[in-house]
Amino acid sequence: MTLIVKSQDTLSFSRLKAKYFMRSAYQDAKRQKRMDEIRVVVVIPYYNGSAFIERSARSVLEQTVPPFEFLIVDDGSSAEEAARLDAIANQLGINVIHKQNGGQGSARNAGVAASKAEYICFLDQDDFYLKNHIEILIDAMPENEPHFGWVYGELFEAEGNGEIVRTSIVTQHAKHPKTNIHDILVSDMFVLPSASLISRLAFETVGGFDEQFMGYEDDDLFLRLFRAGFTNHFTEKAVTVWCIHTESTSYGIRMARSRLRYFKKLAAAFPNDPIKERFYMRDVLIPRFNHQIISEAIAAASGRKGKFFTHRDEYIAIAREYTEIVQAAPNVPQLFKIRAKLRMHILGSTRWRALYRLHPALNRVRRMGKLFR
């Protein structure tokens, strides 16, 4: 009989290896238990979106960690579009709620109210989840965080047909996670509900989405969560494909209306504080909103075809109301006010408005000049 004598080093290595596998198995079991215990509802607001809804719905059903609840909220679609949704939902086994039209925020709120899960994920009808959306966000959630508000991730950007344009967009345009009110206000937050997992407690504490908005309701919600003291956490892993196309709300007159409403809400909520040297209108709100509001008014005045021509007077009226608020604000440089007042005089005059019809031509000349530098 041959005796095999193991060295002390071999025994030590064997013990370490056994400990590693025991710890790994324990961690895997603990992680799986957490995945099973955290209950998530997914809510998709729907409005005449039959061209996209099956793609978005299937991306929810194919999750590596399935949701506890899944609802689609029809926000007053046409009879034909509602029937198409019902047919797809019946085929896939998805619950649908039908309601009168009230906007995307209203539909999201209705979905949350009809559900029970402790955590909420949203998905826009024309976007879709990556297969491990819920799994990644649960992994990124801190454990035992009493003030947890939301966790969110990176996005893929895609065309309307789902073809990928880039695999990173959120980190290219803003700082994450959110830690400073100035950074939240001075530009778009780039926190999308479609890429977030939100605590129901936090959501209900701040009252959900402000239903007056049909655009900017996302930034408004996450700003209020931040101000209420709820924490936010970010993962650089992508969780959602954001499909950007010309039919989306971001390109319509409703976004322009909401932009003005959100500007007015922020102007009222953040007055200047000279003692702390915080001049929100001058340093934050004008830098964020001025270019977009004024450029759309100029596009309308120049007679550009499409939405600007159809809603020309409204785009100019939005710019006028914005300018009046800026004019009344203290600590805004006088020269800026004079230029703004002159610009609105030109935009408001059918005689002088013709000057802005030269604007597209001047831009083309400017671009041509750059080609020959």
Side-chain angles (χ1 to χ4, degrees):
M1 184 173 68
T2 304
L3 291 175
I4 299 174
V5 179
K6 292 186 177 180
S7 69
Q8 189 64 36
D9 288 345
T10 303
L11 288 169
S12 297
F13 176 75
S14 298
R15 290 193 190 103
L16 286 171
K17 189 176 179 182
K19 271 187 176 181
Y20 169 79
F21 282 114
M22 285 177 64
R23 185 181 296 114
S24 179
Y26 169 76
Q27 290 172 343
D28 288 346
K30 182 181 178 183
R31 177 177 179 272
Q32 187 58 53
K33 184 172 182 289
R34 191 167 187 246
M35 293 289 172
D36 294 339
E37 288 179 347
I38 291 179
R39 303 194 306 173
V40 177
V41 59
V42 175
V43 176
I44 299 181
Y46 173 89
Y47 180 74
N48 294 341
S50 61
F52 306 106
I53 193 63
E54 184 170 352
R55 180 181 69 184
S56 61
R58 286 189 182 278
S59 78
V60 177
L61 297 173
E62 294 170 359
Q63 286 295 294
T64 54
V65 174
F68 175 72
E69 298 169 285
F70 179 20
L71 301 171
I72 298 177
V73 181
D74 173 29
D75 189 42
S77 297
S78 68
E80 183 180 357
E81 285 287 303
R84 288 175 180 171
L85 169 62
D86 286 338
I88 292 170
N90 288 335
Q91 177 188 349
L92 298 178
I94 303 168
N95 291 326
V96 175
I97 298 171
H98 293 280
K99 61 180 286 296
Q100 291 185 340
N101 182 257
Q104 188 165 249
S106 170
R108 288 169 173 167
N109 286 343
V112 173
S115 65
K116 297 179 180 179
E118 295 91 348
Y119 298 95
I120 306 158
C121 285
F122 296 103
L123 178 61
D124 289 354
Q125 64 183 15
D126 49 356
D127 299 333
F128 58 96
Y129 285 163
L130 295 177
K131 292 184 183 297
N132 52 353
H133 172 101
I134 296 175
E135 181 180 357
I136 288 173
L137 292 176
I138 291 177
D139 272 336
M141 281 177 60
E143 294 189 52
N144 303 317
E145 168 58 79
H147 304 290
F148 174 73
W150 79 97
V151 59
Y152 63 110
E154 180 58 272
L155 297 160
F156 285 2
E157 180 188 343
E159 306 286 5
N161 62 6
E163 293 182 345
I164 305 301
V165 175
R166 51 178 166 167
T167 58
S168 176
I169 180 171
V170 167
T171 51
Q172 307 300 314
H173 293 280
K175 296 178 182 178
H176 306 283
K178 301 304 176 183
T179 60
N180 185 296
I181 192 64
H182 180 276
D183 293 339
I184 290 174
L185 294 176
V186 77
S187 61
D188 292 349
M189 289 177 66
F190 279 87
V191 180
L192 270 67
S194 290
S196 303
L197 186 151
I198 306 168
S199 157
R200 175 182 291 272
L201 173 64
F203 184 86
E204 292 179 346
T205 297
V206 301
F209 288 97
D210 186 337
E211 297 180 10
Q212 70 169 306
F213 298 121
M214 295 185 184
Y216 288 93
E217 67 269 27
D218 303 351
D219 276 17
D220 176 72
L221 172 70
F222 293 116
L223 168 62
R224 287 184 285 116
L225 287 170
F226 180 88
R227 294 283 278 176
F230 292 105
T231 61
N232 68 101
H233 307 267
F234 176 67
T235 174
E236 292 187 354
K237 293 181 180 179
V239 295
T240 302
V241 180
W242 187 20
C243 301
I244 302 176
H245 52 95
T246 54
E247 294 178 12
S248 65
T249 306
S250 302
Y251 289 90
I253 184 63
R254 292 195 303 176
M255 177 61 79
R257 293 167 185 156
S258 272
R259 184 176 294 113
L260 178 63
R261 291 192 192 111
Y262 191 47
F263 167 77
K264 290 165 68 175
K265 184 174 182 177
L266 292 180
F270 293 92
N272 289 333
D273 188 343
I275 295 176
K276 296 179 181 177
E277 296 186 348
R278 293 174 182 168
F279 301 101
Y280 290 104
M281 179 64 73
R282 183 192 69 193
D283 299 337
V284 176
L285 301 185
I286 290 175
R288 179 175 184 178
F289 292 100
N290 189 78
H291 174 75
Q292 192 72 38
I293 291 174
I294 298 304
S295 65
E296 288 185 341
I298 290 173
S302 66
R304 191 184 300 179
K305 293 181 180 180
K307 65 173 185 177
F308 295 113
F309 181 80
T310 304
H311 301 283
R312 182 186 64 188
D313 292 341
E314 188 171 1
Y315 278 110
I316 294 173
I318 287 170
R320 181 179 297 110
E321 187 172 353
Y322 161 80
T323 301
E324 289 171 355
I325 294 170
V326 170
Q327 291 283 336
N331 301 107
V332 175
Q334 195 61 32
L335 180 59
F336 180 88
K337 289 184 176 183
I338 292 171
R339 291 175 61 186
K341 188 174 182 179
L342 177 61
R343 183 189 296 117
M344 285 314 305
H345 178 72
I346 294 172
L347 286 170
S349 167
T350 53
R351 178 182 176 185
W352 290 103
R353 191 184 295 168
L355 290 172
Y356 282 115
R357 291 177 189 157
L358 299 174
H359 197 260
L362 291 173
N363 281 339
R364 286 194 293 271
V365 171
R366 196 177 291 117
R367 285 195 295 270
M368 289 293 294
K370 289 180 179 179
L371 290 176
F372 295 98
R373 283 180 183 175

